[in-house]
Amino acid sequence: LLVQGLYLTSACRQRYYNQQDSKQVGKAFMGGWGTGSVIRDCWAEHFECGGWIADYSGQGSRDLLVEHCRFRNNYAEGLNCSQGSQGHTIRHCSFRNNGDDDMASWSVGKRTADISFSYCTAENNWRASSLGFFGGTAPSAHHLAIYDALESGVRVNADFQGTGFTAYAIVDIHDVTILHCGCVSGTKGQTGDFWGNAQGALNIGNTQYYNMPNVHLTDIDITDSRGNAVYVRSSGGRNVSGLALERVAINGAKGFGIYYSGAIGDVTYCDLTISNCAK
C-alpha cells in the first residue's frame, strides 16, 4: 500500500471531545498497515495524532516506511509506533508544535521491535518529548535535530504500562542534537512540565513499571538546557542497568550536567564533556 502526496487536516481544536479523555477526536493515519506499506510526502496537522500505528486487528504491522512527511500542530503525538509494530522506518520527516511525543514507540500489548527514527527534525514540542521510547526490542534513533521542547527533548522511560524493554537488546540513540530543552519544577506548563515537575533535556527514567536495560547514548550534543541536561531516575526498586554515555557533549544548563535521582543500576562514561552548567 502506497499513500503519497496528501495534505490532511481537520476542524479539531482540542485533543479530546468536550475534554473527556475517553473521546478522542481522530488520527490522520492509524492501523497496522500490513507489511511493506509506504507513507511518503504527506502533511498531517490538526488531528489528535498525526499517526498512531498499531496492529490491533492482528493483520500485521511490519516494515512500514514513512518518509518526507510533515507532522505539525497536532494535539497529541506526531507519530507513535505502538502495539505489534515491527521493523518500521521513519526518516526525513519534520515534526513541529505537537502536544505529546513527536516521535515515539510504545510497547503495549504485543511488543514492538526494530522501530527506527532517522534524519528528522523536531521543533517546539509542547508536552512530553520530541523522541520517546517506552519499551520494545531494539528501538533506535539517529541523526535527529531537536529544538525547543517544553519538557524533554529525548526520553526513554517506564512511565507507561506495557511489555517493557527486551533485556538483551540495546536501545541505540546516536548522532542527536538537543537544543534548549528540559524544564525545572515550577508553574505548570511554564517553568515546569504539565504537572509542574522538572524534566531533563535528555530524560532516562525507570519510574514505575519495568526495568530499563542497555540504553546507549553516543555522539549526543546537549546545549542550553533549561533544566538538568541529563536526568536519570528510578523508583519502586526498578533499575537502570547498562546505561552508556559515549562522546556526549553538554554545554550550558540551568541545572546539573547529569543529575541522578534515586537511580539504581550502573552507567559507563567515555569522552564525556560538561561545561557552563549552573550546578
Side-chain angles (χ1 to χ4, degrees):
L1 176 63
L2 169 64
V3 175
Q4 183 169 346
L6 295 182
Y7 171 69
L8 302 171
T9 189
S10 81
C12 295
R13 289 194 272 178
Q14 57 188 2
R15 180 170 180 170
Y16 305 119
Y17 177 71
N18 283 344
Q19 302 302 322
Q20 299 178 55
D21 61 10
S22 64
K23 297 181 179 179
Q24 300 170 355
V25 295
K27 301 166 174 65
F29 299 100
M30 65 180 296
W33 290 76
T35 299
S37 293
V38 177
I39 300 172
R40 178 183 294 131
D41 295 322
C42 292
W43 185 337
E45 61 182 343
H46 306 130
F47 290 88
E48 181 219 354
C49 295
W52 188 279
I53 310 301
D55 184 21
Y56 294 122
S57 68
Q59 300 302 306
S61 185
R62 292 179 175 271
D63 303 325
L64 173 68
L65 173 62
V66 181
E67 62 180 358
H68 302 292
C69 292
R70 305 181 206 187
F71 298 93
R72 299 179 175 177
N73 306 312
N74 296 293
Y75 304 105
E77 281 83 356
L79 181 68
N80 193 321
C81 297
S82 187
Q83 174 168 319
S85 294
Q86 297 188 40
H88 298 345
T89 298
I90 300 88
R91 65 191 185 194
H92 300 290
C93 290
S94 169
F95 298 83
R96 184 184 297 168
N97 296 337
N98 294 303
D100 216 314
D101 303 292
D102 286 318
M103 300 168 276
S105 179
W106 179 18
S107 191
V108 58
K110 292 180 285 187
R111 181 172 270 129
T112 64
D114 302 311
I115 306 301
S116 173
F117 295 92
S118 61
Y119 301 99
C120 297
T121 59
E123 304 166 89
N124 301 320
N125 174 274
W126 49 270
R127 181 177 177 181
S129 63
S130 292
L131 171 71
F133 288 140
F134 316 108
T137 300
S140 65
H142 62 90
H143 293 92
L144 306 180
I146 295 172
Y147 306 137
D148 298 309
L150 175 64
E151 298 180 7
S152 295
V154 172
R155 62 176 178 156
V156 184
N157 68 32
D159 280 353
F160 307 106
Q161 288 181 316
T163 49
F165 292 94
T166 302
Y168 60 81
I170 292 173
V171 180
D172 182 19
I173 300 174
H174 65 89
D175 292 284
V176 175
T177 297
I178 305 170
L179 175 65
H180 200 232
C181 298
C183 59
V184 297
S185 58
T187 304
K188 296 179 179 180
Q190 296 181 24
T191 54
D193 70 7
F194 262 56
W195 294 267
N197 298 320
Q199 301 291 346
L202 196 159
N203 195 31
I204 306 297
N206 188 345
T207 53
Q208 202 162 166
Y209 291 109
Y210 38 83
N211 293 325
M212 298 274 299
N214 306 321
V215 178
H216 289 193
L217 306 165
T218 310
D219 293 307
I220 310 294
D221 292 323
I222 307 174
T223 304
D224 194 20
S225 301
R226 294 194 303 271
N228 299 313
V230 178
Y231 186 12
V232 184
R233 56 198 175 116
S234 297
S235 66
R238 303 293 187 180
N239 67 69
V240 178
S241 61
L243 175 62
L245 287 78
E246 181 174 0
R247 296 189 299 278
V248 175
I250 296 167
N251 184 6
K254 292 185 177 179
F256 291 94
I258 301 178
Y259 183 77
Y260 293 94
S261 176
I264 301 170
D266 60 276
V267 58
T268 59
Y269 305 107
C270 180
D271 290 337
L272 175 68
T273 61
I274 300 176
S275 58
N276 301 314
C277 295
K279 298 182 180 180

